Amino acid sequence: MVANKAVVYRKPGVVEVEDIGFPDLVLRDGPGVNPLNVGRKCEHGVILKVVTTNICGSDQHMVRGRTTAPSGLVLGHEITGEVIEVGRDVEFIKKGDLVSVPFNIACGRCRNCKQQDTHICENVNPDRPGSAYGYVDMGGWVGGQSEYVMVPYADFQLLKFPDKDQALEKILDLTMLSDIFPTGYHGAVSAGVKTGSTVYVAGAGPVGLAAAHSAQLLGASVVIVGDLIEERLAQARSFGCETVNLRTHPNLEEQIEQILGVPEVDCAIDAVGFEASGHGDGAGEAPATVLNSIMGVTRAGGRLGIPGLYVTGDPGAEDKDAQEGTLKIRFGLGFAKAHTFVTGQTPVMRYHRDLMQAILSGRAQIAKAVNATVISLEEAPAGYKEFDGGVAKKFVIDPHGALR
């Protein structure tokens, strides 16, 4: 039996690399697998040899103990790989294809999938619409921070790279197509970014940096990125963004006015989510901070893209309301300013082919923007700790040493 090492969540702050067994085309029982999904046959699926798989900020929420993720959950929803086995019902994807895997799992058959709302597929998660690999309460599909992984609904979901050699040359960019590039782009599109827009992006983590680069691709005149960590802000400046440090200068409106001459922007993007911090030195966690601040600085009639993750259950929150995902949001302000809010998972398949073309043509430089940094599978636990400390890197796991 071929070994299959993977990154496994054990307890808050602890991930380990373990052998989870070689996958097959059945969703078997295991940590986090919904009982109604156990034994689900996936002859419409494939087995991938994972070429790259990335650590995501969403994974960190689980690893910090801020969700109800069970011990033993195999992590990882950002997957790029080579097809090594195809199911009986797979018609168009072939062995040897190099493919990007959308992080949201989608059947292609339900009403939502047919409307391109693949982030809320009705058939893959018995609890509620929407699913993802290696994520709590998402149906239990096994994560892809591993050497091999099973991917269902292959013909519908997988994005095949047209030229394998060309793709391998740009693999650090193309690995971002499974999640953060489409997620950042969705945040910018949802915020209504267009030629000439002024844009504020809250958060200079990988998704925030991807959103900032996406806003540039969409024609924004000025992109301002806010964060509490100077190293991350320096990364944003490295590809032409303006920045505001909300630890040393907590008044966001004043800082925006210093840059633009007015204390507001056309569009704003929340790339932080529910573990947001208050502004200022020594400020504690305040989960509604980003949502309230972007309402404050976005012009009347503007749009707010919210790809930052918010959850219905946060056992690590400081008060009962926040533990249930109930936040003290100034919704009256948003109403008064006639804001449009767009939330939820990103429908990756709506964007990934176009973004692939932007990468292959050299138009998009997403790996540079997010500072893609390659590590081995064995280095993943250390990568999680470093990422949790706020380092300005996007860790790309290379399970088979192919990139090194």
Side-chain angles (χ1 to χ4, degrees):
M1 179 64 71
V2 178
N4 182 25
K5 292 187 291 184
V7 180
V8 176
Y9 168 71
R10 277 296 158 208
K11 61 183 180 179
V14 178
V15 299
E16 298 175 346
V17 177
E18 303 176 7
D19 185 356
I20 62 169
F22 197 80
D24 56 11
L25 298 173
V26 178
L27 181 52
R28 303 194 183 279
D29 197 10
V33 180
N34 190 300
L36 296 176
N37 262 350
V38 172
R40 188 166 176 164
K41 293 179 172 59
C42 297
E43 289 293 342
H44 44 64
V46 299
I47 306 298
L48 296 184
K49 178 180 180 180
V50 178
V51 175
T52 56
T53 177
N54 315 325
I55 297 176
C56 179
S58 297
D59 298 322
Q60 287 286 17
H61 295 307
M62 291 186 290
V63 173
R64 292 184 186 123
R66 298 300 296 268
T67 72
T68 56
S71 178
L73 185 73
V74 180
L75 298 171
H77 55 268
E78 301 189 16
I79 307 164
T80 304
E82 180 182 2
V83 177
I84 60 171
E85 180 182 336
V86 297
R88 177 194 61 212
D89 299 331
V90 177
E91 186 175 358
F92 304 111
I93 293 293
K94 306 298 183 185
K95 288 184 182 179
D97 287 347
L98 187 63
V99 297
S100 177
V101 183
F103 80 88
N104 12 60
I105 303 166
C107 71
R109 298 157 168 81
C110 70
R111 175 182 178 179
N112 289 338
C113 283
K114 289 177 180 179
Q115 295 176 169
Q116 283 198 309
D117 291 327
T118 53
H119 57 311
I120 43 175
C121 175
E122 298 172 342
N123 291 327
V124 289
N125 182 0
D127 286 334
R128 61 178 183 269
S131 189
Y133 303 90
Y135 213 85
V136 61
D137 296 332
M138 286 290 186
W141 300 90
V142 179
Q145 286 176 13
S146 56
E147 294 176 301
Y148 303 92
V149 68
M150 187 269 282
V151 173
Y153 304 107
D155 278 333
F156 176 64
Q157 294 192 104
L158 294 181
L159 177 65
K160 177 185 172 181
F161 301 137
D163 184 301
K164 198 170 182 179
D165 291 336
Q166 181 192 26
L168 289 171
E169 290 176 1
K170 292 183 175 285
I171 195 66
L172 286 183
D173 293 286
L174 295 171
T175 190
M176 306 304 167
L177 291 173
S178 57
D179 183 356
I180 69 159
F181 197 8
T183 294
Y185 193 82
H186 180 61
V189 169
S190 299
V193 178
K194 58 184 176 58
T195 302
S197 296
T198 57
V199 185
Y200 174 64
V201 180
V207 168
L209 297 172
H213 185 45
S214 297
Q216 292 174 332
L217 291 172
L218 288 166
S221 59
V222 182
V223 180
I224 304 169
V225 180
D227 203 280
L228 303 169
I229 300 174
E230 183 55 36
E231 181 184 354
R232 289 186 167 193
L233 293 173
Q235 180 62 27
R237 290 193 294 271
S238 74
F239 59 96
C241 298
E242 300 285 347
T243 61
V244 293
N245 188 319
L246 295 165
R247 187 183 304 280
T248 58
H249 298 88
N251 191 312
L252 178 57
E253 289 86 350
E254 285 185 1
Q255 291 201 76
I256 287 177
E257 186 169 20
Q258 289 174 4
I259 295 168
L260 298 177
V262 293
E264 64 179 17
V265 292
D266 297 322
C267 324
I269 302 166
D270 172 2
V272 178
F274 73 103
E275 285 193 70
S277 171
H279 298 166
D281 191 23
E285 186 172 303
T289 297
V290 171
L291 291 172
N292 288 329
S293 66
I294 63 175
M295 281 190 281
V297 300
T298 302
R299 70 172 183 86
R303 298 172 63 92
L304 311 177
I306 309 173
L309 176 66
Y310 289 87
V311 295
T312 56
D314 175 9
E318 294 183 356
D319 61 71
K320 185 177 180 180
D321 283 343
Q323 288 174 3
E324 298 175 349
T326 302
L327 309 181
K328 295 179 179 179
I329 299 169
R330 294 186 65 197
F331 191 74
L333 176 61
F335 180 90
K337 298 178 78 172
H339 284 156
T340 297
F341 300 76
V342 181
T343 68
Q345 282 188 35
T346 296
V348 170
M349 292 180 67
R350 196 178 296 173
Y351 307 110
H352 65 175
R353 185 173 299 278
D354 290 343
L355 295 176
M356 175 186 72
Q357 294 299 108
I359 288 169
L360 295 178
S361 69
R363 177 84 174 97
Q365 305 285 336
I366 187 64
K368 178 181 177 183
V370 302
N371 193 19
T373 303
V374 178
I375 60 174
S376 68
L377 193 65
E378 289 72 19
E379 292 171 317
Y384 268 95
K385 289 185 182 298
E386 193 174 351
F387 189 29
D388 191 45
V391 67
K393 297 177 182 178
K394 174 66 173 178
F395 287 109
V396 177
I397 299 173
D398 175 13
H400 296 276
L403 277 63
R404 291 188 167 190

